[in-house]
Coordinates of all heavy atoms in Angstrom, one line a residue:
M1 N 37.3 8.0 6.9 CA 38.7 7.8 7.3 C 39.7 8.5 6.3 O 39.5 8.4 5.1 CB 39.1 6.3 7.4 CG 38.5 5.7 8.6 SD 39.2 6.3 10.2 CE 38.4 5.2 11.4
P2 N 40.6 9.4 6.8 CA 41.5 10.1 5.9 C 42.5 9.2 5.3 O 43.0 8.2 5.9 CB 42.1 11.1 6.8 CG 42.1 10.5 8.1 CD 40.8 9.7 8.2
L3 N 42.9 9.5 4.0 CA 43.9 8.7 3.3 C 45.2 9.5 3.4 O 45.2 10.8 3.2 CB 43.5 8.5 1.9 CG 42.4 7.5 1.6 CD1 41.9 7.5 0.2 CD2 42.8 6.1 2.1
V4 N 46.3 8.8 3.6 CA 47.6 9.4 3.7 C 48.6 8.6 2.8 O 48.3 7.4 2.7 CB 48.1 9.5 5.1 CG1 47.4 10.5 5.9 CG2 48.1 8.2 5.8
P5 N 49.6 9.2 2.3 CA 50.6 8.4 1.5 C 51.4 7.5 2.5 O 51.7 7.8 3.6 CB 51.5 9.5 0.9 CG 51.3 10.7 1.7 CD 49.9 10.6 2.3
C6 N 51.6 6.3 2.0 CA 52.4 5.3 2.7 C 53.8 5.8 3.0 O 54.4 6.4 2.1 CB 52.5 4.0 1.9 SG 53.6 2.8 2.6
R7 N 54.3 5.6 4.2 CA 55.6 6.1 4.5 C 56.8 5.4 3.7 O 57.9 5.9 3.7 CB 55.9 6.0 6.0 CG 55.9 4.5 6.5 CD 55.9 4.5 8.1 NE 55.6 3.2 8.6 CZ 56.5 2.2 8.8 NH1 57.8 2.4 8.5 NH2 56.1 1.1 9.3
A8 N 56.4 4.2 3.2 CA 57.4 3.4 2.5 C 57.3 3.7 1.0 O 58.4 3.9 0.4 CB 57.3 1.9 2.8
C9 N 56.1 3.6 0.4 CA 56.0 3.6 -1.1 C 55.2 4.8 -1.6 O 55.3 5.1 -2.8 CB 55.5 2.3 -1.6 SG 53.7 2.0 -1.1
G10 N 54.5 5.5 -0.7 CA 53.7 6.7 -1.2 C 52.3 6.3 -1.6 O 51.6 7.1 -2.0
H11 N 52.0 5.0 -1.6 CA 50.6 4.6 -2.0 C 49.6 5.1 -1.0 O 49.9 5.2 0.2 CB 50.6 3.0 -1.9 CG 49.3 2.4 -2.5 ND1 49.2 2.1 -3.8 CD2 48.2 2.1 -1.9 CE1 48.0 1.6 -4.0 NE2 47.3 1.6 -2.9
Q12 N 48.5 5.6 -1.5 CA 47.4 6.2 -0.6 C 46.8 5.1 0.2 O 46.2 4.1 -0.3 CB 46.3 6.8 -1.5 CG 46.8 8.1 -2.2 CD 47.0 9.3 -1.2 OE1 46.2 9.6 -0.4 NE2 48.2 9.9 -1.3
V13 N 46.9 5.2 1.5 CA 46.4 4.2 2.5 C 45.6 4.9 3.6 O 45.8 6.1 3.8 CB 47.5 3.4 3.1 CG1 48.2 2.5 2.0 CG2 48.5 4.2 3.8
D14 N 44.7 4.2 4.2 CA 43.9 4.7 5.3 C 44.9 4.8 6.5 O 45.8 4.0 6.8 CB 42.8 3.7 5.7 CG 41.7 4.3 6.5 OD1 42.1 4.6 7.7 OD2 40.6 4.5 6.1
T15 N 44.6 5.9 7.4 CA 45.5 6.1 8.5 C 45.3 5.0 9.5 O 46.3 4.7 10.3 CB 45.1 7.4 9.2 OG1 43.7 7.4 9.4 CG2 45.5 8.6 8.4
S16 N 44.2 4.3 9.5 CA 44.0 3.2 10.5 C 44.5 1.9 9.9 O 44.4 0.8 10.6 CB 42.5 3.1 10.9 OG 41.7 2.8 9.7
A17 N 45.0 1.8 8.7 CA 45.4 0.6 8.1 C 46.6 0.0 8.8 O 47.5 0.8 9.2 CB 45.8 0.8 6.6
T18 N 46.6 -1.3 9.0 CA 47.7 -1.9 9.7 C 48.9 -2.3 8.8 O 50.0 -2.5 9.2 CB 47.2 -3.2 10.5 OG1 46.6 -4.0 9.6 CG2 46.3 -2.8 11.6
A19 N 48.5 -2.5 7.5 CA 49.6 -2.9 6.5 C 49.2 -2.2 5.2 O 48.1 -2.0 4.8 CB 49.6 -4.4 6.3
C20 N 50.3 -1.7 4.5 CA 50.1 -1.1 3.2 C 49.7 -2.1 2.1 O 50.4 -3.1 2.0 CB 51.4 -0.4 2.8 SG 51.3 0.3 1.1
P21 N 48.6 -1.9 1.3 CA 48.2 -2.8 0.3 C 49.3 -2.8 -0.9 O 49.3 -3.8 -1.6 CB 46.8 -2.3 -0.2 CG 46.8 -0.9 0.2 CD 47.7 -0.7 1.4
G22 N 50.0 -1.7 -1.0 CA 51.0 -1.7 -2.1 C 52.3 -2.4 -1.8 O 52.7 -3.2 -2.6
C23 N 52.9 -2.1 -0.6 CA 54.2 -2.7 -0.4 C 54.2 -3.6 0.9 O 55.2 -4.3 1.2 CB 55.2 -1.5 -0.1 SG 54.9 -0.5 1.3
G24 N 53.1 -3.6 1.7 CA 53.0 -4.4 2.8 C 53.7 -3.9 4.1 O 53.8 -4.6 5.1
A25 N 54.1 -2.6 4.0 CA 54.7 -2.0 5.2 C 53.7 -1.9 6.4 O 52.5 -1.6 6.1 CB 55.2 -0.6 4.9
T26 N 54.2 -2.1 7.6 CA 53.2 -2.1 8.8 C 53.0 -0.6 9.1 O 53.9 0.2 9.0 CB 53.9 -2.8 9.9 OG1 55.1 -2.3 10.2 CG2 53.9 -4.3 9.7
N27 N 51.8 -0.3 9.6 CA 51.3 1.0 9.9 C 51.7 2.0 8.9 O 52.5 3.0 9.2 CB 51.9 1.4 11.3 CG 51.3 0.5 12.4 OD1 50.2 0.2 12.5 ND2 52.3 0.0 13.3
P28 N 51.3 1.9 7.6 CA 51.7 2.8 6.6 C 51.2 4.2 6.8 O 51.8 5.2 6.3 CB 51.1 2.2 5.3 CG 49.9 1.4 5.8 CD 50.3 0.9 7.2
G29 N 50.1 4.4 7.5 CA 49.6 5.8 7.7 C 50.4 6.6 8.7 O 50.2 7.8 8.8
H30 N 51.3 5.9 9.5 CA 52.1 6.6 10.5 C 53.5 6.8 9.9 O 54.0 5.9 9.3 CB 52.1 5.8 11.8 CG 50.7 5.6 12.4 ND1 50.1 6.6 13.1 CD2 49.9 4.5 12.3 CE1 48.9 6.1 13.5 NE2 48.8 4.9 13.0
K31 N 54.0 7.9 10.2 CA 55.4 8.2 9.8 C 56.4 7.4 10.5 O 57.5 7.1 10.0 CB 55.7 9.7 9.9 CG 55.0 10.6 8.9 CD 55.3 12.0 9.0 CE 54.5 12.8 7.9 NZ 54.7 14.2 8.0
I32 N 56.1 7.1 11.7 CA 57.0 6.2 12.5 C 56.3 5.0 12.9 O 55.1 5.0 13.1 CB 57.7 6.9 13.7 CG1 56.6 7.5 14.6 CG2 58.6 8.0 13.2 CD1 57.1 8.0 15.9
S33 N 56.9 3.9 13.1 CA 56.3 2.6 13.6 C 55.9 2.7 15.0 O 56.3 3.6 15.8 CB 57.2 1.4 13.3 OG 58.3 1.5 14.3
R34 N 55.1 1.8 15.5 CA 54.6 1.8 16.8 C 55.7 1.6 17.8 O 55.8 2.2 18.9 CB 53.5 0.7 17.0 CG 52.8 0.8 18.3 CD 51.8 -0.4 18.4 NE 51.1 -0.3 19.7 CZ 50.0 0.4 19.9 NH1 49.5 1.1 18.9 NH2 49.4 0.4 21.1
Q35 N 56.7 0.8 17.5 CA 57.8 0.5 18.3 C 58.7 1.8 18.5 O 59.1 2.1 19.6 CB 58.7 -0.6 17.8 CG 58.0 -2.0 18.0 CD 58.9 -3.1 17.4 OE1 59.6 -2.9 16.5 NE2 58.7 -4.3 18.0
Q36 N 58.9 2.4 17.4 CA 59.7 3.7 17.4 C 58.9 4.7 18.3 O 59.6 5.4 19.0 CB 59.9 4.2 16.0 CG 60.9 3.4 15.2 CD 61.1 3.9 13.8 OE1 60.0 4.2 13.1 NE2 62.3 3.9 13.3
R37 N 57.6 4.8 18.1 CA 56.8 5.8 18.8 C 56.9 5.5 20.3 O 57.1 6.3 21.2 CB 55.4 5.8 18.4 CG 54.6 7.0 18.8 CD 53.1 6.9 18.5 NE 52.5 5.8 19.3 CZ 51.2 5.4 19.2 NH1 50.5 6.0 18.3 NH2 50.8 4.4 19.9
D38 N 56.7 4.2 20.7 CA 56.8 3.7 22.1 C 58.2 4.1 22.7 O 58.3 4.5 23.8 CB 56.6 2.3 22.2 CG 55.1 1.9 22.0 OD1 54.3 2.8 21.9 OD2 54.8 0.7 21.8
L39 N 59.2 3.9 21.8 CA 60.6 4.2 22.3 C 60.7 5.7 22.6 O 61.3 6.1 23.6 CB 61.6 3.8 21.2 CG 63.1 4.0 21.6 CD1 63.5 3.0 22.7 CD2 64.0 3.8 20.4
I40 N 60.2 6.5 21.6 CA 60.3 8.0 21.8 C 59.5 8.4 23.0 O 59.9 9.2 23.8 CB 59.8 8.6 20.5 CG1 60.8 8.5 19.4 CG2 59.6 10.1 20.8 CD1 60.3 8.8 18.0
V41 N 58.3 7.8 23.2 CA 57.5 8.1 24.4 C 58.2 7.8 25.7 O 58.2 8.6 26.6 CB 56.1 7.4 24.3 CG1 55.4 7.5 25.6 CG2 55.3 8.0 23.2
S42 N 58.8 6.6 25.7 CA 59.5 6.2 26.9 C 60.7 7.1 27.2 O 61.0 7.4 28.3 CB 59.9 4.7 26.9 OG 60.6 4.5 25.7
L43 N 61.4 7.5 26.1 CA 62.6 8.4 26.2 C 62.1 9.7 26.8 O 62.7 10.3 27.6 CB 63.3 8.6 24.9 CG 64.3 7.5 24.5 CD1 64.7 7.7 23.1 CD2 65.5 7.5 25.4
F44 N 60.9 10.2 26.2 CA 60.4 11.5 26.6 C 60.0 11.4 28.1 O 60.3 12.3 28.9 CB 59.1 11.7 25.8 CG 58.5 13.1 25.9 CD1 59.2 14.2 25.5 CD2 57.3 13.3 26.5 CE1 58.7 15.5 25.7 CE2 56.7 14.5 26.7 CZ 57.4 15.6 26.3
Q45 N 59.3 10.3 28.5 CA 59.0 10.2 29.9 C 60.2 10.1 30.8 O 60.2 10.7 31.9 CB 58.1 8.9 30.1 CG 56.7 9.0 29.5 CD 56.0 7.7 29.5 OE1 56.5 6.7 29.7 NE2 54.7 7.8 29.5
F46 N 61.2 9.4 30.3 CA 62.5 9.3 31.1 C 63.1 10.7 31.3 O 63.6 11.0 32.4 CB 63.4 8.3 30.4 CG 64.8 8.2 31.1 CD1 65.0 7.4 32.2 CD2 65.8 9.0 30.6 CE1 66.2 7.4 32.8 CE2 67.1 8.8 31.2 CZ 67.2 8.1 32.3
T47 N 63.1 11.5 30.2 CA 63.6 12.8 30.3 C 62.9 13.7 31.2 O 63.5 14.4 32.1 CB 63.6 13.5 28.8 OG1 64.2 12.6 27.9 CG2 64.3 14.8 28.8
I48 N 61.5 13.6 31.2 CA 60.7 14.4 32.2 C 61.0 14.0 33.6 O 61.2 14.8 34.5 CB 59.2 14.2 31.8 CG1 58.9 15.0 30.5 CG2 58.4 14.7 33.0 CD1 57.5 14.7 30.0
V49 N 61.1 12.7 33.8 CA 61.4 12.2 35.2 C 62.8 12.6 35.6 O 63.0 13.1 36.7 CB 61.3 10.6 35.2 CG1 61.8 10.1 36.5 CG2 59.8 10.2 35.1
A50 N 63.8 12.6 34.7 CA 65.1 13.0 35.0 C 65.1 14.5 35.4 O 65.8 14.9 36.4 CB 66.0 12.7 33.9
I51 N 64.4 15.3 34.6 CA 64.4 16.8 34.8 C 63.7 17.0 36.2 O 64.2 17.9 36.9 CB 63.6 17.5 33.7 CG1 64.5 17.4 32.4 CG2 63.3 18.9 34.0 CD1 63.8 17.8 31.1
L52 N 62.6 16.3 36.4 CA 61.9 16.5 37.7 C 62.8 16.1 38.9 O 62.8 16.9 39.9 CB 60.7 15.7 37.7 CG 59.5 16.3 36.9 CD1 58.3 15.3 36.9 CD2 59.0 17.6 37.5
L53 N 63.6 15.0 38.7 CA 64.4 14.6 39.8 C 65.5 15.6 40.1 O 65.9 15.9 41.2 CB 65.0 13.2 39.5 CG 64.1 12.0 39.7 CD1 64.7 10.7 39.2 CD2 63.8 11.8 41.2
I54 N 66.2 16.1 39.0 CA 67.2 17.0 39.1 C 66.7 18.4 39.7 O 67.3 18.9 40.6 CB 67.9 17.3 37.7 CG1 68.6 16.0 37.3 CG2 68.8 18.5 37.7 CD1 69.0 16.0 35.8
W55 N 65.6 18.8 39.2 CA 64.9 20.1 39.6 C 64.6 19.9 41.1 O 64.9 20.8 41.9 CB 63.7 20.4 38.8 CG 63.1 21.7 39.1 CD1 63.6 22.9 38.7 CD2 62.0 21.9 39.9 NE1 62.7 23.9 39.2 CE2 61.8 23.3 40.0 CE3 61.1 21.1 40.6 CZ2 60.7 23.9 40.7 CZ3 60.1 21.6 41.3 CH2 59.9 23.0 41.4
G56 N 63.9 18.8 41.5 CA 63.6 18.5 42.8 C 64.8 18.4 43.7 O 64.8 19.0 44.8
G57 N 65.8 17.8 43.2 CA 67.0 17.7 44.0 C 67.7 19.0 44.3 O 68.1 19.3 45.4
L58 N 67.7 19.9 43.2 CA 68.3 21.2 43.4 C 67.4 22.0 44.3 O 68.0 22.8 45.2 CB 68.3 21.9 42.0 CG 69.5 21.5 41.1 CD1 69.3 22.1 39.7 CD2 70.8 22.0 41.7
Y59 N 66.1 21.9 44.2 CA 65.2 22.6 45.1 C 65.4 22.2 46.6 O 65.6 23.1 47.4 CB 63.8 22.4 44.7 CG 62.7 23.1 45.5 CD1 62.5 24.4 45.4 CD2 62.0 22.4 46.5 CE1 61.6 25.1 46.2 CE2 61.1 23.0 47.3 CZ 60.9 24.4 47.1 OH 59.9 25.0 47.9
V60 N 65.5 20.9 46.8 CA 65.7 20.4 48.2 C 67.1 20.9 48.7 O 67.3 21.3 49.8 CB 65.6 18.9 48.2 CG1 66.1 18.3 49.5 CG2 64.2 18.5 48.0
W61 N 68.1 20.8 47.8 CA 69.5 21.2 48.1 C 69.5 22.7 48.5 O 70.1 23.1 49.5 CB 70.4 21.0 46.9 CG 71.8 21.4 47.1 CD1 72.4 22.5 46.8 CD2 72.8 20.6 47.8 NE1 73.7 22.5 47.1 CE2 74.0 21.4 47.8 CE3 72.8 19.4 48.4 CZ2 75.2 20.9 48.3 CZ3 74.0 18.9 49.0 CH2 75.1 19.7 48.9
R62 N 68.8 23.5 47.7 CA 68.9 25.0 48.0 C 68.1 25.4 49.2 O 68.4 26.4 49.8 CB 68.3 25.7 46.7 CG 69.2 25.8 45.5 CD 68.6 26.5 44.4 NE 69.4 26.5 43.2 CZ 69.1 26.9 42.0 NH1 67.8 27.3 41.8 NH2 69.9 26.8 41.0
T63 N 67.1 24.6 49.6 CA 66.3 24.9 50.7 C 66.8 24.4 52.0 O 66.8 25.0 53.1 CB 64.8 24.4 50.6 OG1 64.8 23.1 50.2 CG2 64.1 25.3 49.5
T64 N 67.4 23.2 51.9 CA 67.9 22.5 53.1 C 69.3 23.0 53.6 O 69.6 23.1 54.7 CB 67.9 21.0 53.0 OG1 68.6 20.7 51.8 CG2 66.5 20.4 52.9
V65 N 70.2 23.2 52.6 CA 71.6 23.6 52.9 C 71.6 24.9 53.7 O 72.3 25.0 54.7 CB 72.4 23.7 51.6 CG1 73.8 24.4 51.9 CG2 72.7 22.2 51.1
P66 N 70.9 26.0 53.3 CA 70.9 27.2 54.1 C 70.3 27.0 55.5 O 70.8 27.6 56.4 CB 70.0 28.2 53.3 CG 70.1 27.7 51.9 CD 70.2 26.2 52.0
M67 N 69.3 26.1 55.6 CA 68.7 25.8 56.9 C 69.7 25.1 57.8 O 69.9 25.5 59.0 CB 67.5 24.9 56.7 CG 66.2 25.7 56.2 SD 64.9 24.5 55.8 CE 64.6 23.8 57.4
I68 N 70.5 24.1 57.2 CA 71.5 23.4 57.9 C 72.6 24.4 58.4 O 73.1 24.4 59.5 CB 72.0 22.2 57.1 CG1 70.9 21.2 56.9 CG2 73.3 21.6 57.8 CD1 71.3 20.2 55.8
R69 N 73.0 25.2 57.5 CA 74.1 26.2 57.8 C 73.6 27.2 58.9 O 74.4 27.5 59.8 CB 74.4 27.0 56.5 CG 75.3 26.2 55.6 CD 75.7 27.1 54.4 NE 76.5 26.3 53.4 CZ 76.7 26.7 52.2 NH1 76.2 27.8 51.7 NH2 77.5 26.0 51.4
E70 N 72.3 27.5 58.8 CA 71.8 28.4 59.8 C 71.8 27.8 61.2 O 72.2 28.3 62.2 CB 70.4 28.8 59.4 CG 69.9 30.1 60.1 CD 68.5 30.5 59.6 OE1 68.2 30.2 58.5 OE2 67.7 31.0 60.4
I71 N 71.3 26.5 61.2 CA 71.3 25.7 62.4 C 72.7 25.5 63.0 O 72.9 25.6 64.2 CB 70.6 24.4 62.2 CG1 69.1 24.6 61.9 CG2 70.8 23.4 63.4 CD1 68.4 23.4 61.2
L72 N 73.6 25.2 62.1 CA 75.0 25.0 62.6 C 75.7 26.3 63.0 O 76.5 26.3 64.0 CB 75.8 24.4 61.4 CG 75.5 22.9 61.1 CD1 76.3 22.5 59.8 CD2 75.9 22.0 62.3
A73 N 75.3 27.5 62.4 CA 75.9 28.7 62.7 C 75.3 29.3 64.0 O 75.9 30.1 64.7 CB 75.8 29.7 61.5
R74 N 74.1 29.1 64.3 CA 73.3 29.7 65.4 C 74.0 29.6 66.7 O 74.2 30.6 67.4 CB 71.9 29.2 65.4 CG 70.9 30.1 66.1 CD 69.5 29.7 66.0 NE 69.0 29.8 64.6 CZ 67.9 29.2 64.2 NH1 67.2 28.4 64.9 NH2 67.5 29.4 62.9
P75 N 74.3 28.4 67.2 CA 74.9 28.2 68.5 C 76.2 29.0 68.6 O 76.5 29.6 69.7 CB 75.2 26.7 68.6 CG 74.2 26.1 67.7 CD 74.1 27.1 66.5
Q76 N 77.0 29.0 67.6 CA 78.3 29.7 67.6 C 78.1 31.2 67.8 O 78.8 31.9 68.6 CB 79.1 29.5 66.3 CG 79.5 28.0 66.2 CD 80.2 27.8 64.8 OE1 80.1 28.6 63.9 NE2 80.8 26.6 64.7
V77 N 77.1 31.8 67.1 CA 76.7 33.2 67.2 C 76.3 33.5 68.7 O 76.7 34.4 69.3 CB 75.6 33.6 66.2 CG1 75.1 35.0 66.5 CG2 76.2 33.4 64.8
E78 N 75.4 32.6 69.2 CA 75.0 32.8 70.6 C 76.1 32.7 71.6 O 76.2 33.5 72.5 CB 73.9 31.8 70.9 CG 72.6 32.1 70.2 CD 71.5 30.9 70.4 OE1 71.9 29.9 71.1 OE2 70.4 31.0 69.9
Q79 N 77.0 31.8 71.3 CA 78.1 31.7 72.3 C 79.1 32.9 72.3 O 79.4 33.4 73.3 CB 78.9 30.4 71.9 CG 78.3 29.1 72.4 CD 79.0 27.9 71.9 OE1 80.0 28.0 71.3 NE2 78.5 26.7 72.3
T80 N 79.3 33.4 71.1 CA 80.2 34.6 70.9 C 79.5 35.8 71.5 O 80.2 36.6 72.3 CB 80.6 34.8 69.5 OG1 79.4 34.9 68.7 CG2 81.5 33.8 68.9
Q81 N 78.2 35.9 71.3 CA 77.5 37.1 71.8 C 77.4 37.0 73.4 O 77.7 37.9 74.1 CB 76.1 37.1 71.2 CG 76.1 37.7 69.8 CD 74.7 37.7 69.2 OE1 73.8 37.1 69.8 NE2 74.5 38.4 68.1
G82 N 77.2 35.7 73.8 CA 77.1 35.6 75.3 C 78.5 35.8 76.0 O 78.5 36.3 77.1
G83 N 79.6 35.4 75.3 CA 80.8 35.6 75.9 C 81.3 37.0 75.9 O 81.9 37.5 76.9
E84 N 80.9 37.8 74.9 CA 81.2 39.2 74.9 C 80.5 40.0 75.9 O 81.0 40.9 76.5 CB 81.0 39.8 73.5 CG 82.0 39.3 72.5 CD 81.7 39.7 71.1 OE1 80.6 40.2 70.9 OE2 82.4 39.3 70.2
R85 N 79.2 39.7 76.1 CA 78.4 40.5 77.0 C 78.6 40.1 78.5 O 78.6 39.0 78.8 CB 76.9 40.3 76.6 CG 76.6 41.2 75.3 CD 75.2 40.9 74.8 NE 75.1 41.6 73.6 CZ 74.0 41.4 72.8 NH1 73.0 40.7 73.2 NH2 73.9 42.0 71.6
Ligands
LIG1 ZN1 53.4 1.2 0.9

C-alpha cells in the first residue's frame, strides 16, 4: 500500500487509512474528504445532466421549429399558387 502525506499534518499515512495516526484526521490519504468528493461528483453529474438537457432542448428546438414553420407555410404557398394558376 502506498504511503502519502496526511492532508492535515503531513504525517506519512497509508492511502487506505481511515484516520491519521498523527492528528486523527479522517481519510488522511485523500486530499479531499469523502463528503466533499461526493458533493463534487453530484455537482459534476448535475452539470452533465443540465448540459444534456440544454443541448437536447436546443436540438429538439432546432429540428421541430423549422418543421412546424414548413407545415404552417405549406398550405399558404399551395393556396397562393393555386389562386394564381
Ligand atoms: Zn495527520
Side-chain angles (χ1 to χ4, degrees):
M1 284 295 183
L3 289 172
V4 290
C6 169
R7 61 187 166 89
C9 67
H11 189 89
Q12 289 290 311
V13 291
D14 196 294
T15 50
S16 62
T18 53
C20 174
C23 66
T26 53
N27 297 313
H30 300 281
K31 287 181 179 173
I32 55 170
S33 69
R34 190 180 180 87
Q35 286 179 331
Q36 285 175 320
R37 194 189 65 183
D38 288 347
L39 183 71
I40 289 166
V41 167
S42 50
L43 278 171
F44 188 68
Q45 288 173 339
F46 176 79
T47 307
I48 287 172
V49 169
I51 288 167
L52 283 173
L53 280 172
I54 292 166
W55 185 80
L58 280 173
Y59 178 78
V60 169
W61 179 263
R62 285 178 182 171
T63 49
T64 52
V65 166
M67 283 170 64
I68 292 165
R69 281 180 181 167
E70 197 178 329
I71 290 163
L72 288 173
R74 200 174 289 165
Q76 292 175 350
V77 171
E78 284 175 358
Q79 280 175 2
T80 51
Q81 284 179 345
E84 285 170 357
R85 284 175 188 171

